[in-house]
């Protein structure tokens, strides 16, 4: 199964069309839970660096006002930090950093490789002419 983490609905639609039945989210909280609960079922992890407004990326809401509260993360960096510290996820996991933010994608790729993730690819998101 591919775990696809991205904030763009158009990419989610195209991803689902080409790779049906995989797990898609814009939440780093849900992605971490999926990796923690079923790491052996995930063969690939696709990461976008920038995650839009961040409200779906780990923020939470006040139960009275309904307004977002707490620190809201706008990038995938907390998930990458967790991956680097976690022993739950096999270092053989294929990771595709599909962000168009090239300096940031280079930075997180280096972090992941430094802790033993060797199957890390940086390729800006595009389905090109494949499939």
């Amino acid at each position: 199964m591919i775990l696809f983490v991205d904030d763009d609905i158009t990419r989610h639609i195209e991803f689902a069309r080409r790779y049906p039945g995989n797990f898609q989210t814009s939440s780093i909280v849900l992605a971490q839970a999926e990796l923690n609960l079923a790491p052996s079922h995930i063969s690939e992890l696709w990461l976008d660096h920038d995650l839009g407004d961040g409200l779906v990326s780990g923020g939470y809401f006040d139960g009275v006002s309904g307004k977002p509260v707490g620190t809201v993360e706008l990038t995938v960096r907390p998930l990458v930090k967790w991956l680097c510290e976690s022993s739950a996820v096999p270092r053989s996991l294929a990771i595709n950093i599909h962000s168009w933010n090239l300096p940031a994608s280079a930075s997180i790729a280096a972090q992941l490789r430094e802790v033993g993730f060797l199957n890390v690819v940086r390729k800006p998101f595009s389905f090109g002419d494949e499939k």
Side-chain angles (χ1 to χ4, degrees), residues 41-116:
H41 295 298
I42 299 170
S43 58
E44 294 179 43
L45 173 61
W46 290 31
L47 297 175
D48 186 17
H49 180 270
D50 302 305
L51 295 175
D53 67 12
L55 293 178
V56 293
S57 303
Y60 57 98
F61 298 85
D62 182 311
V64 175
S65 70
K67 294 182 179 178
V69 294
T71 302
V72 176
E73 187 55 54
L74 301 178
T75 73
V76 75
R77 286 188 182 272
L79 179 60
V80 170
K81 181 179 187 288
W82 176 81
L83 282 167
C84 291
E85 295 171 351
S86 175
S87 61
V89 180
R91 295 307 193 236
S92 59
L93 177 66
I95 302 174
N96 177 347
I97 303 169
H98 63 267
S99 179
W100 281 94
N101 184 336
L102 300 181
S105 69
S107 171
I108 61 176
Q111 274 182 276
L112 291 162
R113 288 182 183 123
E114 188 174 302
V115 298

Side-chain angles (χ1 to χ4, degrees), residues 15-35:
F15 183 87
R17 187 178 74 75
R18 292 180 183 251
Y19 301 99
N22 289 285
F23 188 81
Q24 297 175 235
T25 185
S26 55
S27 168
I28 58 176
V29 173
L30 291 177
Q32 180 178 337
E34 189 69 24
L35 285 160

